[in-house]
Amino acid sequence: MSEIKVALLGFGTVGKGVYQVVQTHQKRLEAILHKKVRIVGILVQDETKQRDIQADILLSSNIEDILQISDLDIVMEAIVGVEPGYTYIRKAMERGLHVITANKELLAHKGYELKRKAQQHGVRLEYEAAVAGGIPIIRTLKHVLRVNETIKVEAILNGTSNFILSTMRENQAAFVDVLAVAQQKGYAEADPSNDIDGWDAFYKLMIISELLFGHQPAWDKVEVQGIRNIQYEHLLAAKSLDARMKHVATIEISGGKIHASVEPILIPKSHALYAVEGVNNAINVTGDVVGELSFQGPGAGALPTASAMLEDLISIYELKEVSSIPTAQTFVETNQLQEEEWLLVGSLDPVHQLHRLDQWEIPYGLSTITCTRVLANNELIKSIVKQCDQLEAFKMKHNFVSINQKVLA
Ligand SMILES: NC(=O)C1=CN([C@@H]2O[C@H](COP(=O)(O)OP(=O)(O)OC[C@H]3O[C@@H](n4cnc5c(N)ncnc54)[C@H](OP(=O)(O)O)[C@@H]3O)[C@@H](O)[C@H]2O)C=CC1
Ligand SMILES: N[C@@H](CC=O)C(=O)O
């Protein structure tokens, strides 16, 4: 039986996951592809680390050694950051190799250019694992939802943040302790800043935007906030509204305007994202014909990511490429300045003439937390939070109609 020869670039959580599944699912891969899938080379940074790999695999820290392997077909890239992955992928394409990558930071920065380069060299660039881990959302948007124009995507795209928020709330655990667990489980990156500061979800949202609309909104027009400062008391305040705090990435088109944001927001019980817990991701896609669709599943970790990368491998041999570079649509980018509902946690200076919908207090240990529900726009809220010590503001979405607390104001 002939072989598909694969080189892994990176052998951390993801690389090891792919290696493992190629072993455990070899028979299944053969049955589908009528070829063996063989890992022939592995690129790492530190060749001296102890690794559990077959003796006939070339292990190297030099990309040239890997790319010179004879009859190599595919490289699967799972390194962190734009470089050196960018240089390595370009080199691989120039040698006529197909590329599968899990690297969202690289794709958000250089995806457009790499897609063009793949076309130029007649090779495939697949990147299912770069967005929402094991959920087959890229393939669905690219191959399955073709007639629909997407109006809105609303998604939980960072497994680490969702795991942290769910676990803190469920176990009253401290942020740093839950983050450490997310790192042990291979959800969070070795440097978790991108996860907890919102950038990981932002990169994924930009990849989706480029796929759907042919371009990304100007990055400085996108509100990006992470979960670094969320404390248990905020989750408690959300609960008092019958809501949950979720880290949500949204991209929405309305009246020729495009608006994108990545931030912790309050989601009411009635909304599909409310029940998405732990390391799961979810993507709600609204198409102009089909309406709202929801996709949910594991968003991080070795096996879900390996699953997405190996499904990519199969798709290279089984699915004809459709253009992954749609014609760019023209939209005006907006910061969405209209009034929305906000929850303010902490003491609001009484002189601030905000339109207060309710105010109430919830018990917290031996003291209480003041919560205020207000109507305001982004800019006004930002300026008030700047002036008031220890006041936190969270956007509320999806028509909160009532709260079940005693209203004090
Ligand atoms: N973890 C997850 O759940 C998911 C991760 N991703 C993405 O996949 C990629 C890999 O993530 P993950 O496996 O978690 O990362 P890890 O940090 O666990 O592994 C990174 C690997 O890259 C290797 N590496 C680092 N720098 C270089 C270099 N300069 N040259 C060659 N190899 C290098 C490391 O080598 P060495 O072993 O010698 O240190 C290591 O094997 C990232 O882009 C990440 O964002 C995508 C989806 C899910
Ligand atoms: N660190 C990422 C891994 C998957 O992309 C996350 O937590 O979602």
Side-chain angles (χ1 to χ4, degrees):
M1 192 182 282
S2 61
E3 291 179 337
I4 297 170
K5 288 190 182 178
V6 177
L8 298 178
L9 311 187
F11 199 64
T13 302
V14 175
K16 283 183 203 155
V18 172
Y19 181 81
Q20 180 189 333
V21 178
V22 168
Q23 319 298 320
T24 56
H25 286 61
Q26 184 60 232
K27 286 259 167 313
R28 207 171 161 85
L29 289 166
E30 283 173 21
I32 297 165
L33 295 163
H34 307 291
K35 289 179 182 195
K36 278 187 188 306
V37 175
R38 192 151 76 88
I39 310 275
V40 289
I42 298 179
L43 182 81
V44 291
Q45 186 164 42
D46 180 359
E47 280 179 49
T48 65
K49 271 189 202 167
Q50 192 63 32
R51 323 244 177 200
D52 188 12
I53 56 172
Q54 286 163 4
D56 60 346
I57 296 176
L58 175 69
L59 181 82
S60 176
S61 58
N62 183 344
I63 187 68
E64 294 305 329
D65 293 345
I66 299 292
L67 297 180
Q68 275 164 22
I69 294 173
S70 71
D71 301 325
L72 190 62
D73 296 294
I74 297 187
V75 297
M76 297 176 90
E77 191 260 343
I79 305 177
V80 181
V82 176
E83 286 291 2
Y86 175 56
T87 303
Y88 295 171
I89 286 180
R90 285 170 57 90
K91 281 180 190 244
M93 287 176 174
E94 282 159 12
R95 290 175 197 216
L97 304 176
H98 300 300
V99 173
I100 296 168
T101 179
N103 189 336
K104 51 268 162 137
E105 185 170 355
L106 166 56
L107 277 167
H109 283 89
K110 302 285 185 191
Y112 191 78
E113 188 189 324
L114 288 176
K115 285 173 199 168
R116 286 203 172 284
K117 193 158 178 78
Q119 267 184 354
Q120 243 174 35
H121 292 276
V123 296
R124 296 274 290 271
L125 171 68
E126 299 296 333
Y127 52 93
E128 186 65 78
V131 179
I135 305 174
I137 190 64
I138 297 296
R139 189 151 311 114
T140 303
L141 296 177
K142 213 157 100 171
H143 291 269
V144 183
L145 287 174
R146 309 280 310 270
V147 77
N148 279 269
E149 258 184 51
T150 305
I151 301 160
K152 184 173 176 183
V153 173
E154 195 171 41
I156 293 176
L157 292 176
N158 185 258
T160 300
S161 297
N162 204 47
F163 178 77
I164 291 176
L165 293 178
S166 311
T167 313
M168 278 173 74
R169 195 197 65 242
E170 280 291 302
N171 303 347
Q172 293 194 27
F175 184 96
V176 283
D177 296 337
V178 189
L179 174 59
V181 178
Q183 284 182 294
Q184 275 160 25
K185 287 178 177 284
Y187 304 156
E189 318 279 322
D191 172 358
S193 323
N194 281 349
D195 290 308
I196 60 178
D197 289 331
W199 294 105
D200 179 83
F202 168 79
Y203 294 141
K204 292 166 177 168
L205 190 67
M206 293 303 103
I207 295 169
I208 291 176
S209 173
E210 198 166 279
L211 177 63
L212 288 174
F213 311 123
H215 75 153
Q216 303 179 9
W219 286 15
D220 63 354
K221 288 277 194 323
V222 184
E223 176 91 31
V224 180
Q225 269 184 57
I227 60 156
R228 195 186 277 271
N229 297 323
I230 305 281
Q231 290 159 19
Y232 180 64
E233 68 190 66
H234 301 134
L235 306 180
L236 202 64
K239 198 172 169 190
S240 76
L241 281 163
D242 233 1
R244 281 182 182 159
M245 188 157 317
K246 296 282 171 195
H247 189 250
V248 177
T250 309
I251 191 155
E252 194 170 357
I253 287 183
S254 167
K257 291 186 178 164
I258 188 164
H259 174 256
S261 62
V262 178
E263 55 196 345
I265 56 175
L266 295 181
I267 298 285
K269 214 175 200 163
S270 54
H271 192 271
L273 295 182
Y274 177 92
V276 180
E277 291 278 81
V279 73
N280 275 356
N281 281 189
I283 301 131
N284 279 10
V285 181
T286 309
D288 63 345
V289 185
V290 69
E292 195 174 318
L293 297 170
S294 299
F295 304 86
Q296 190 184 154
L303 293 183
T305 314
S307 161
M309 292 186 91
L310 286 162
E311 295 296 349
D312 271 349
L313 185 144
I314 289 175
S315 88
I316 288 177
Y317 290 90
E318 290 223 313
L319 264 184
K320 200 170 156 304
E321 172 67 328
V322 295
S323 173
S324 54
I325 312 176
T327 317
Q329 299 176 40
T330 318
F331 299 108
V332 178
E333 281 134 355
T334 166
N335 281 335
Q336 217 176 35
L337 292 175
Q338 82 269 21
E339 286 199 327
E340 292 176 293
E341 271 187 57
W342 293 79
L343 173 72
L344 301 180
V345 181
S347 289
L348 175 66
D349 180 339
V351 297
H352 281 109
Q353 300 297 313
L354 280 172
H355 180 177
R356 294 170 204 225
L357 299 171
D358 332 88
Q359 188 169 51
W360 69 103
E361 294 199 333
I362 50 175
Y364 182 61
L366 294 177
S367 90
T368 55
I369 310 163
T370 306
C371 300
T372 316
R373 196 163 65 111
V374 299
L375 264 186
N377 69 39
N378 260 339
E379 300 306 311
L380 182 56
I381 286 285
K382 271 191 204 155
S383 79
I384 288 168
V385 168
K386 251 190 218 153
Q387 296 159 35
C388 296
D389 264 4
Q390 295 175 337
L391 181 71
E392 316 261 3
F394 299 99
K395 208 178 273 179
M396 297 166 59
K397 283 236 169 150
H398 309 289
N399 304 326
F400 277 83
V401 280
S402 64
I403 55 166
N404 50 16
Q405 299 299 311
K406 188 170 159 233
V407 175
L408 302 180

